[in-house]
Amino acid sequence: MDDAMEEAALVPPWKTCVVLSMSYFFIYTAFESIQNLQSSLNHEDGLGVASLAITYSSMMIGTFIGPVSVRAVGPKNLILVGFFFHLLYILANFRPSYATLVPSSILLGFGISGLAMSMGLYLTASSKSFLFYSALSTSRLHGVLSMFNGFFYSCFTGTHISGNFISSMILFSSSYNETILEDNVCGAAVCAASGNATVIDDPDQKVVFTLLGVFAAFNLTGTVLTALCLPRLHVAAYQTDSPKHQNVCANLSGCCKKFISWKFVILAPLFTAQAMAVMTMYTGYTKVSESCVGCLQDK
């Protein structure tokens, strides 16, 4: 264990990891589901797709001010702010328009960038605290980090399953126009280029509001769990890899240097292809799959 690390900076390792994992599970169960439905529920004028593009653009910008934000408000407060921005995004979907979704998407993007940085700090703190309480050598740090990260990402990845399961159960309670269902072109048979894409009625507004209400309840559960159970973290004890007074300009400069390195240039096509695949899944795939909901329900 690092001699510079004071005992007062330690956190209960497993309690911290479990609380953090469950909080993110509740928050991202809602977000992953509503993200997958944006191109379907808010399809008019491309509003849903635009909101996702704005969210991830602002998240990219937010990474430059992440270290400054952590030092300014602390990791726990930054997590709570990020969860609040998630709630604002859900509430904006009750009355979706460019006036409501664009500002909430910008805030959400900045919130997600802060959540990612705070999550890393808490998992590192849990790992180092585990080493201290278990009287293990620092040579075991990488193994302990893998253990705590594995537990966290097992819960985090499970949000894709839980979120989509909840949304499917609620949306299946909606009704669809029977005339449209008779000649419906479903799933893989849909091709927007050939003009055979079937227009499916939107789900009942009451059902959509129920879905958003469930998402808001999940968000509040995660927020309350964090506020009451997640211990505060002494940031200075875990930021050993960056200068104490590093500013936004230094972060931006360091990032730009990485962009022009030959390693990044080689990996850039892979990152681009992965981003395109993910965006297709979040937009086009879910929009096409929505055409099958009515068919399945009708049978």
Side-chain angles (χ1 to χ4, degrees):
M1 195 70 181
D2 191 352
D3 294 335
M5 183 178 177
E6 299 179 359
E7 186 173 349
L10 298 173
V11 295
W14 277 113
K15 174 189 174 182
T16 301
C17 184
V18 170
V19 170
L20 186 74
S21 300
M22 295 311 300
S23 297
Y24 276 61
F25 177 83
F26 283 114
I27 297 298
Y28 278 90
T29 289
F31 176 70
E32 293 294 347
S33 180
I34 201 170
Q35 175 179 245
N36 292 340
L37 294 172
Q38 278 300 321
S39 63
S40 303
L41 295 180
N42 299 323
H43 54 80
E44 294 185 4
D45 300 323
L47 176 58
V49 176
S51 72
L52 293 180
I54 293 171
T55 297
Y56 284 96
S57 297
S58 61
M59 180 179 66
M60 181 179 65
I61 298 173
T63 56
F64 296 121
I65 63 173
V68 177
S69 301
V70 169
R71 286 193 291 270
V73 302
K76 181 174 181 176
N77 290 337
L78 197 59
I79 289 176
L80 292 174
V81 170
F83 287 176
F84 177 70
F85 289 161
H86 272 274
L87 180 60
L88 287 181
Y89 186 74
I90 294 173
L91 296 178
N93 278 270
F94 278 95
R95 288 291 182 266
S97 67
Y98 277 95
T100 57
L101 276 181
V102 169
S104 62
S105 296
I106 294 174
L107 293 176
L108 177 61
F110 282 104
I112 291 175
S113 63
L115 287 174
M117 178 161 291
S118 299
M119 174 269 295
L121 287 173
Y122 266 102
L123 290 179
T124 301
S126 298
S127 301
K128 290 188 174 183
S129 298
F130 182 83
L131 287 179
F132 179 83
Y133 289 124
S134 302
L136 298 176
S137 169
T138 54
S139 62
R140 304 284 297 275
L141 179 60
H142 291 293
V144 176
L145 277 169
S146 299
M147 178 177 65
F148 281 98
N149 275 275
F151 181 87
F152 175 85
Y153 279 103
S154 295
C155 298
F156 186 83
T157 306
T159 60
H160 290 277
I161 300 174
S162 58
N164 290 322
F165 176 78
I166 292 172
S167 62
S168 66
M169 291 297 100
I170 296 177
L171 290 176
F172 257 107
S173 65
S174 184
S175 60
Y176 293 84
N177 188 300
E178 296 297 331
T179 303
I180 292 178
L181 293 179
E182 293 176 1
D183 301 316
N184 186 58
V185 180
C186 183
V190 174
C191 180
S194 64
N196 73 337
T198 303
V199 178
I200 301 295
D201 284 354
D202 290 333
D204 295 337
Q205 192 173 48
K206 180 180 178 181
V207 175
V208 176
F209 285 174
T210 300
L211 180 65
L212 294 174
V214 172
F215 290 161
F218 268 74
N219 186 285
L220 291 173
T221 301
T223 302
V224 171
L225 182 62
T226 299
L228 297 181
C229 301
L230 189 67
R232 293 197 175 273
L233 189 63
H234 296 260
V235 183
Y238 303 100
Q239 289 187 320
T240 57
D241 57 343
S242 61
K244 183 177 180 180
H245 300 293
Q246 188 178 27
N247 54 29
V248 177
C249 293
N251 292 332
L252 182 60
S253 175
C255 185
C256 291
K257 290 179 180 179
K258 294 294 183 182
F259 285 158
I260 62 177
S261 69
W262 67 270
K263 293 181 180 179
F264 182 84
V265 172
I266 293 176
L267 291 174
L270 177 62
F271 294 152
T272 303
Q274 183 185 29
M276 293 175 64
V278 171
M279 209 60 194
T280 300
M281 181 182 67
Y282 287 157
T283 57
Y285 177 78
T286 53
K287 189 174 183 179
V288 169
S289 299
E290 186 190 48
S291 65
C292 293
V293 175
C295 296
L296 292 172
Q297 186 187 60
D298 190 46
K299 295 178 181 181

